[in-house]
Amino acid sequence: MSLIVQKFGGTSVADIERIEQVADKVARFRDDGDSVVVVVSAMSGETNRLIELAHDVQERPTPREMDVLLSTGEQVTTALLSMALNKRGVKAKSYNGGQVRILTDDSHTKARIREIDDSRLHAELEAGYVIVVAGFQGVDEHGNITTLGRGGSDTTAVALAAALKADECQIYTDVDGVYTTDPRVVDGARRLNQVTFEEMLEMASMGSRVLQIRAVEFAGKYNVPLRVLHSFQEGPGTLITLEDQTKMETPTIAGIAFNRDEAKLTILGVPDMPGVAHHILGPIGEANIEVDVIVQNVADDKTTDFTFTVGRGDLDRAEEVLNKVAGEINATEVRSDNKIAKVSVVGVGMRSHAGVASQMFAALAEVGINIQMITTSEIKISVIIEEKFLELAVRALHSSFGLEKEPENESAA
Ligand code: ASP
Ligand code: MG
């Protein structure tokens, strides 16, 4: 008997037929004696539909009214799923965020959860109810409805699992787990049985969009075991957990992540003196532009070059800021390039294995790919390359690190 939080995304509750299938699944867990809290998204496409409706009325509606509107999508699916469960003889009740009392701050459309009152939920669970909670929404201290940002139902599920000290938080979606890389790029991409929170964060922030990043952060912080599963196919999915709780010896590399949303700016002939890096990046930060990779070379005599990457959507603004800075610090030139991409090898195992970087660079050299920038962290090595070589790079790395093969020690997991 365990307490499980199960989250079903928009495609899993897209229509009545699927809601009935979800009800069958939840009922099976109930039959096995588990206590179940279900978190649902709105039917797929519904949140977008509501956003369009809003914009048909007003160009820039207040965030407060947007939240009142957007939170309705999830309320529909909670009620329908509860009905489908009741029809099966499974006692179920729907709850919206405010009824549970998922207390958030007041930043409408991107609110953060502050506190969850679990007393009502515990009482309902003890009385044998399945509780179906609306994802993505909460309430601020004045009773205003808030929402948590797109994809926020994942965060609702993890937060509830943490508050209730659930045994597992299961995220049901339209893929059967987390893969070594994007299967659309590499045929041999393989489902991982287990991955650590840290690895998942690196993979999620770089394009493997299975889970909302905030949800993974939350799960890691509160040590909530997370499992990604296919809604309508049987299978173990991927368990995301702490490193010391993974059951096998950790493979060196878990996966290859990549991101096309990168653009590069270089400021040439920068005087080599204290305060210059701050002078360059300070105004970029003030303009609310997020900087990713930063490289500054050793000065040859009195000047150096400074290169960094930003999201492509920010390139024009960043360039404007930088041109101004260049004048102020007497740099010689600003160059920009938006045809770049970032590829990373990710794995907690690289902490104890030397030579991952050289293997990565060798694999790229073998297929003739030039590396423009390199950055490393404890569990990740990233390179910036020309965008047109991205898929080639991902395939070369996937094969070089042997990721298509199931590690021997993992097959029993
Ligand atoms: N319905 C919301 C969205 O589409 C929340 C979610 O699905 O997680 O972003
Ligand atoms: Mg969704």
Side-chain angles (χ1 to χ4, degrees):
M1 252 200 53
S2 2
L3 171 56
I4 305 172
V5 174
Q6 303 186 316
K7 182 255 169 179
F8 291 91
T11 52
S12 314
V13 293
D15 52 37
I16 298 300
E17 198 186 321
R18 296 203 194 168
I19 289 175
E20 299 273 10
Q21 277 175 271
V22 168
D24 283 337
K25 187 181 280 291
V26 174
R28 281 202 296 279
F29 278 89
R30 229 13 231 131
D31 287 347
D32 290 345
D34 293 321
S35 295
V36 185
V37 175
V38 183
V39 174
V40 284
S41 287
M43 291 181 174
S44 65
E46 177 63 7
T47 307
N48 290 337
R49 189 186 72 89
L50 294 169
I51 290 172
E52 272 170 37
L53 281 181
H55 292 137
D56 285 348
V57 176
Q58 192 182 14
E59 198 183 325
R60 262 187 281 149
T62 65
R64 183 188 184 281
E65 297 318 316
M66 276 312 266
D67 279 350
V68 172
L69 180 69
L70 297 193
S71 63
T72 61
E74 272 73 10
Q75 199 167 324
V76 170
T77 45
T78 54
L80 292 173
L81 180 58
S82 298
M83 292 172 197
L85 286 164
N86 287 332
K87 181 170 82 176
R88 283 161 176 76
V90 177
K91 295 203 301 183
K93 273 189 195 175
S94 58
Y95 270 83
N96 67 30
Q99 287 173 312
V100 173
R101 202 141 196 270
I102 297 178
L103 182 70
T104 72
D105 62 18
D106 59 6
S107 18
H108 285 289
T109 75
K110 46 180 189 303
R112 300 216 157 226
I113 296 177
R114 278 198 182 149
E115 201 176 277
I116 293 183
D117 179 357
D118 59 359
S119 55
R120 246 175 121 174
L121 298 187
H122 274 302
E124 299 283 27
L125 287 171
E126 254 149 58
Y129 282 95
V130 169
I131 309 158
V132 185
V133 180
F136 168 63
Q137 57 180 261
V139 71
D140 73 8
E141 58 185 344
H142 304 294
N144 297 300
I145 296 173
T146 55
T147 64
L148 308 180
R150 298 307 305 269
S153 298
D154 288 347
T155 301
T156 304
V158 172
L160 280 172
L164 295 165
K165 300 192 177 53
D167 296 289
E168 195 167 285
C169 180
Q170 302 177 338
I171 307 283
Y172 289 90
T173 177
D174 49 8
V175 294
D176 67 348
V178 177
Y179 276 68
T180 48
T181 195
D182 187 339
R184 287 170 300 189
V185 172
V186 181
D187 280 341
R190 186 176 48 81
R191 182 184 55 77
L192 294 159
N193 282 316
Q194 300 192 353
V195 68
T196 68
F197 292 118
E198 283 173 285
E199 288 167 335
M200 187 63 214
L201 276 177
E202 296 293 358
M203 316 252 284
S205 64
M206 285 177 291
S208 327
R209 283 191 197 80
V210 194
L211 281 169
Q212 203 204 25
I213 291 174
R214 245 170 84 193
V216 182
E217 282 170 358
F218 212 107
K221 187 163 164 203
Y222 294 97
N223 189 17
V224 176
L226 255 185
R227 192 183 290 277
V228 175
L229 300 135
H230 197 288
S231 304
F232 305 119
Q233 288 168 18
E234 291 306 309
T238 299
L239 178 66
I240 307 159
T241 182
L242 288 178
E243 190 174 346
D244 59 9
Q245 279 164 16
T246 57
K247 292 199 186 61
M248 67 285 177
E249 191 196 324
T250 322
T252 315
I253 299 301
I256 313 293
F258 57 86
N259 186 7
R260 291 176 205 274
D261 182 25
E262 295 269 350
K264 186 176 75 170
L265 282 158
T266 301
I267 175 162
L268 295 148
V270 175
D272 182 31
M273 55 195 238
V276 164
H278 175 64
H279 201 132
I280 296 171
L281 292 180
I284 296 281
E286 276 156 32
N288 242 320
I289 296 170
E290 213 173 302
V291 172
D292 185 17
V293 182
I294 304 171
V295 168
Q296 186 204 273
N297 205 347
V298 183
D300 48 6
D301 57 278
K302 289 190 177 53
T303 65
T304 181
D305 302 336
F306 192 97
T307 305
F308 59 94
T309 67
V310 297
R312 279 190 198 168
D314 288 332
L315 180 62
D316 289 348
R317 272 195 317 133
E319 202 174 350
E320 228 172 85
V321 173
L322 211 56
N323 277 323
K324 202 167 150 260
V325 169
E328 289 164 9
I329 60 174
N330 280 323
T332 47
E333 196 187 335
V334 172
R335 286 186 197 156
S336 73
D337 179 357
N338 64 3
K339 301 225 161 19
I340 58 162
K342 184 168 76 172
V343 186
S344 312
V345 297
V346 176
V348 293
M350 74 173 72
R351 278 200 279 248
S352 50
H353 288 75
V356 173
S358 68
Q359 184 175 344
M360 179 182 194
F361 304 155
L364 294 173
E366 217 165 281
V367 289
I369 296 176
N370 186 43
I371 299 170
Q372 300 182 5
M373 297 166 84
I374 303 169
T375 83
T376 64
S377 77
E378 226 190 331
I379 67 155
K380 178 183 75 169
I381 303 168
S382 306
V383 297
I384 298 288
I385 58 172
E386 234 184 296
E387 184 187 11
K388 68 177 181 203
F389 295 127
L390 176 62
E391 304 209 340
L392 178 62
V394 173
R395 281 195 284 267
L397 293 169
H398 197 270
S399 130
S400 168
F401 286 98
L403 292 175
E404 61 288 326
K405 292 188 292 292
E406 184 105 356
E408 273 162 40
N409 48 27
E410 206 183 324
S411 49

